[in-house]
Amino acid sequence: MVQIDATAGSSQDGKARLATVWLGGCSGCHMSFLDLDERLIELADKVNIVYSPIVDTKTFPENVDATLVEGAVCNSEHLYLAKQIRDRSRIVVSFGDCAVNGNITAMRNPLGKLEPVLQRAYIENTTYQPQIPNDYSVIPKLLERVQPLHEVIKVDAFLPGCPPSADLIYFVVTELLAGRIPDLSDKLKFG
Ligand code: SF4
């Protein structure tokens, strides 16, 4: 089993190094993370958030203890970042249904190809200068198919939900900090 050594903490101050990443999702999973409310203060005693939409870090750092990844893999930038995350994180968690199974983000997949998606978004639904973007030095190129995170990199734990509740996020993070891969088998409800 993969172990996180976050009880010892990898930062010089003894805290664990935690990252959260926003790929192809609506940021609702991060909103749920913020719903930890006062528990964020408790976590701040135990972790340094070294990369996240809620901190101003531009590049994904080395030597991260655990990374929560929100969203599916939709474009070339997501693909690059996902591989970098895997290389630099001891534990990677699929954070929310878009990361776990594609969810809303993958609703374009049944169309089969990318072309009808681009046509619809940039030509049919546009009244001012309709054109399909093609300068991929400026914007990342969409992948032909949206993929859940585990199809692209190895994932150590899955945290489903749209979004996962703050209580579930808290459980997962505290389990990781205790050096355990969280077992959610008795905490999830379907239907
Ligand atoms: Fe948004 Fe739900 Fe996807 Fe999270 S799982 S990014 S809340 S659509």
Side-chain angles (χ1 to χ4, degrees), residues 135-155:
D135 184 355
Y136 298 121
S137 66
V138 177
I139 55 167
K141 187 173 186 181
L142 287 181
L143 303 178
E144 282 291 324
R145 184 176 162 272
V146 174
Q147 291 180 273
L149 189 64
H150 66 274
E151 285 188 5
V152 171
I153 60 170
K154 177 177 171 290
V155 168

Side-chain angles (χ1 to χ4, degrees), residues 106-117 143-146:
M107 286 178 72
R108 71 172 165 91
N109 285 350
L111 293 173
K113 291 184 178 294
L114 186 55
E115 188 58 26
V117 178
L143 303 178
E144 282 291 324
R145 184 176 162 272
V146 174

Side-chain angles (χ1 to χ4, degrees), residues 24-29 70-71 95-99 103-105 161-164:
C26 72
S27 89
C29 293
E70 172 194 312
F95 177 29
D97 283 352
C98 289
N103 196 32
I104 305 291
T105 320
C162 182

Side-chain angles (χ1 to χ4, degrees), residues 155-167:
V155 168
D156 303 299
F158 294 87
L159 172 49
C162 182
S165 69
D167 287 346

